[in-house]
Amino acid sequence: MCGRYASTTTDKELRSIFEVAEIVGEELGPSYNVAPTQQVRVVLERPPRAEPDADPVRQLRTAKWGLVPPWAKDVKIGNKLINARSESITEKPAFRKAAARRRCIIPADGYYEWLKRDDGTKIPYFLHGDGVLAMAGLYELWPDPSLPEDDPNRWLWTTTVLTTQATDVLGHIHDRSPVVLPPSFQERWLDPTLTEREQVDALIASIPEPRLEPYEVSTAVNSPRNNGPELLEPV
């Protein structure tokens, strides 16, 4: 799974890395311990709100981590949907519509995972690559029934991180890991015209395993209240 990650790259840098055309909302600032239910930056493509028939625009915007399907009666469901198994997103009711039309990238410096030892203790590791990771994600818009339709705050943007079966060194730490998109896969992943289930499944199946480096970090990362650059220092 992916339950914590670091995100310290600026909007300006993300705009360059992911060729973003439009930045929506204020910059969030660096976080060394991003946790579920917090606000995160995501990259996505969709037509402008005022021009639904126009060409999609690549945006950098904010979403709450923990996907809330449009049919949900309570936003608390998002607390359980911080991750989505990539093998079944085109089938599960909570994810299949987003898998067809609302895919996104969640940028990260790297993510944390905990290795469970034989004695039951859990040791945190930070896994990173060469540069910003493009974690594959889905996003949704949930209409708040307590607000009028013309209220700009009526729509809650939420997101989830896709996971896959981990192998080799990643599997040694945990059996699941985020789906990481190489640059050559990112444009296809964000393409909102890619809507057929078979095409989405085939795209996911073709994503290569990431080459990440893990190192042990302090147990201070266990608490989301701790948030500073010292969390990334190797033990």
Side-chain angles (χ1 to χ4, degrees), residues 105 181-190 203-204 206-208:
I105 290 173
L181 298 164
S184 59
F185 280 75
Q186 294 169 17
E187 183 171 355
R188 186 69 168 154
W189 179 255
L190 295 178
L203 176 59
I204 291 172
S206 67
I207 298 172

Side-chain angles (χ1 to χ4, degrees), residues 45-79:
E45 287 190 11
R46 58 185 293 118
R49 182 178 179 182
E51 302 176 72
D53 295 327
D55 292 336
V57 175
R58 186 166 298 185
Q59 303 176 347
L60 176 67
R61 61 162 60 237
T62 299
K64 183 180 180 181
W65 187 11
L67 188 137
V68 180
W71 45 259
K73 295 182 179 180
D74 193 329
V75 295
K76 291 181 180 178
I77 191 176
N79 299 343

Side-chain angles (χ1 to χ4, degrees), residues 60-123:
L60 176 67
R61 61 162 60 237
T62 299
K64 183 180 180 181
W65 187 11
L67 188 137
V68 180
W71 45 259
K73 295 182 179 180
D74 193 329
V75 295
K76 291 181 180 178
I77 191 176
N79 299 343
K80 300 179 180 179
L81 300 179
I82 65 168
N83 289 160
R85 296 176 69 91
S86 61
E87 300 91 338
S88 58
I89 59 169
T90 59
E91 301 173 358
K92 298 292 184 180
F95 304 123
R96 60 191 180 198
K97 288 187 176 181
R101 295 184 180 275
R102 289 179 287 278
R103 296 177 299 273
C104 66
I105 290 173
I106 304 172
D109 300 352
Y111 69 97
Y112 299 98
E113 197 53 85
W114 281 258
L115 170 66
K116 187 175 183 179
R117 291 181 172 173
D118 293 337
D119 61 2
T121 58
K122 294 183 178 181
I123 307 301

